[in-house]
Amino acid sequence: MSVRHFRNLLDLTPSELQAIIARASELKQMQHRGEIYRPFVGRTLGMIFEKSSTRTRISFEAGMGQFGGQAIFLSPKDTQLGRGEPIEDSAKVISSMVDIIMIRTFEHKKLELFCENSSVPVINALTDDFHPCQLLADMQTFHEHRGSIKDKIVTWVGDGNNMCASYILAAHQFGFHLRVTAPYGFEPNPELIEEYSHCVSYVEDPQEAARGAHLIATDVWASMGQESEQMTRARRFAPYQVSPAMLDKAEPDVLFMHCLPAHRGEEISFDLLNDPRSVVWDEAENRLHAQKALMEFLLKDKIKLD
Ligand code: CP
Ligand code: NVA
């Protein structure tokens, strides 16, 4: 059987995605009850990070530890990856020694090349194009607070970046309608909008885009690798700041999400994370549970599930 990877949300079927988020909530309850569950004893996760991380690193590393396995942190600074060893060679070697791999890198193509040469499952832990692990946590969080997201209205405010592209694929896979509102020149890839036009629309005015939404989500104005554009972006994105006043335009039970790290006074107002409609801390915690469920799914043929 060929190896399953998680490059973006299209690598799993809608029912597999639903099963993973349901399992994530189950694993969360087990963790909160203090239950010990170690299906990964003797298993190893390789973690390749070419960009910074707090949530992703801790959730994968802690999750692997809770499952009884171990995780190895690999940075380009102290591996041959940073000294030009070809991706293909690195993928062959690393995958011959570990059971599962996660990668956070720049070009999505690099991740795809790694997957083509890996003999074990590879998880996208963020590329310039997609951040699918975050969407598992976001979908789990919505489900835990409000039930099914099917047929709901979700508004993406701000940069048409890797998170926005992941929301577009999530709209298709989870059956919600996504409204995207972004400044001119910062919209998501037009090909994605066109391909998913059955579940995605573009709304120019951010306040109008918030009207009637069940979930509003945003992200930083300048992603990792775009630090030099910060000043220009700050001017262009100013009308796209999410605030409690913007949430007031949405449905009364609207939720607010942000993958974090957040910048108060930029993409969110200073008071937004204290608003009861914000669920960002649950969303961050759910990275742990969602990725444990994902790893369990990808290694299910190798491990004994009790
Ligand atoms: N949301 C997210 O991926 O956070 P980190 O960059 O801290 O991993
Ligand atoms: N869009 C952001 C997400 C960080 C978790 C970035 O790529 O830097």
Side-chain angles (χ1 to χ4, degrees):
M1 205 183 89
S2 66
V3 182
R4 299 280 303 265
H5 301 298
F6 188 54
R7 290 161 291 209
N8 65 40
L9 290 169
L10 302 178
D11 279 332
L12 301 179
T13 65
S15 58
E16 287 171 339
L17 290 167
Q18 292 291 351
I20 286 172
I21 65 165
R23 178 64 176 155
S25 294
E26 235 171 69
L27 289 169
K28 181 178 185 172
Q29 295 313 318
M30 286 160 64
Q31 186 70 21
H32 286 189
R33 286 196 298 267
E35 266 176 53
I36 302 293
Y37 172 56
R38 293 195 163 139
F40 281 7
V41 172
R43 304 289 173 193
T44 305
L45 166 72
M47 306 196 303
I48 300 173
F49 278 98
E50 297 192 328
K51 287 176 173 172
S52 306
S53 169
T54 296
R55 279 143 288 268
T56 306
R57 177 173 178 182
I58 298 170
S59 52
F60 270 110
E61 204 164 323
M64 201 62 194
Q66 289 162 13
F67 269 173
Q70 61 171 336
I72 306 176
F73 177 78
L74 301 159
S75 94
K77 260 191 275 166
D78 37 39
T79 60
Q80 302 289 4
L81 280 162
R83 296 182 64 253
E85 182 166 12
I87 301 292
E88 297 92 318
D89 298 2
S90 304
K92 285 185 185 116
V93 172
I94 299 170
S95 66
S96 73
M97 300 182 189
V98 303
D99 300 280
I100 187 163
I101 297 168
M102 58 118 289
I103 307 183
R104 169 168 286 199
T105 190
F106 291 86
E107 304 88 356
H108 192 74
K109 270 204 218 110
K110 210 164 159 179
L111 169 89
E112 290 189 332
L113 188 58
F114 197 102
C115 290
E116 282 162 25
N117 290 279
S118 172
S119 53
V120 301
V122 177
I123 296 171
N124 177 357
L126 184 146
T127 62
D128 289 345
D129 293 2
F130 296 106
H131 193 7
C133 288
Q134 184 66 51
L135 263 291
L136 293 181
D138 289 18
M139 294 299 102
Q140 180 194 345
T141 309
F142 189 91
H143 202 270
E144 286 175 351
H145 283 268
R146 296 286 182 264
S148 173
I149 198 162
K150 190 166 173 358
D151 298 329
K152 301 284 189 213
I153 297 172
V154 177
T155 298
W156 175 264
V157 183
D159 196 15
N161 61 13
N162 44 9
M163 276 298 299
C164 177
S166 304
Y167 262 96
I168 292 175
L169 299 190
H172 176 68
Q173 295 290 66
F174 287 88
F176 58 82
H177 185 84
L178 182 70
R179 287 184 194 148
V180 176
T181 181
Y184 179 69
F186 297 93
E187 303 93 343
N189 179 347
E191 282 171 21
L192 265 187
I193 297 255
E194 202 184 309
E195 189 170 352
Y196 295 100
S197 57
H198 58 280
C199 56
V200 180
S201 56
Y202 176 77
V203 179
E204 206 172 312
D205 176 7
Q207 303 302 323
E208 192 51 42
R211 215 171 285 286
H214 301 96
L215 168 63
I216 294 182
T218 193
D219 187 12
V220 289
W221 289 342
S223 284
M224 288 181 275
Q226 300 172 330
E227 289 77 5
S228 63
E229 299 171 27
Q230 176 64 38
M231 298 284 275
T232 335
R233 284 173 171 261
R235 280 193 296 277
R236 300 292 309 282
F237 281 81
Y240 294 82
Q241 183 182 82
V242 182
S243 62
M246 186 190 272
L247 300 192
D248 290 344
K249 305 225 159 49
E251 285 296 293
D253 66 348
V254 69
L255 295 177
F256 171 72
M257 293 190 199
H258 187 312
C259 62
L260 304 177
H263 302 78
R264 294 166 176 83
E266 294 182 26
E267 77 272 8
I268 56 163
S269 61
F270 282 96
D271 50 355
L272 186 62
L273 300 191
N274 299 327
D275 190 290
R277 294 167 288 188
S278 162
V279 289
V280 299
W281 311 125
D282 291 343
E283 182 190 1
E285 180 193 327
N286 282 340
R287 292 293 304 280
L288 169 69
H289 311 297
Q291 287 154 203
K292 282 170 74 179
L294 174 66
M295 291 193 289
E296 192 186 60
F297 173 82
L298 291 172
L299 287 185
K300 66 178 181 302
D301 296 331
K302 257 190 164 182
I303 60 176
K304 182 181 162 296
L305 297 176
D306 295 317

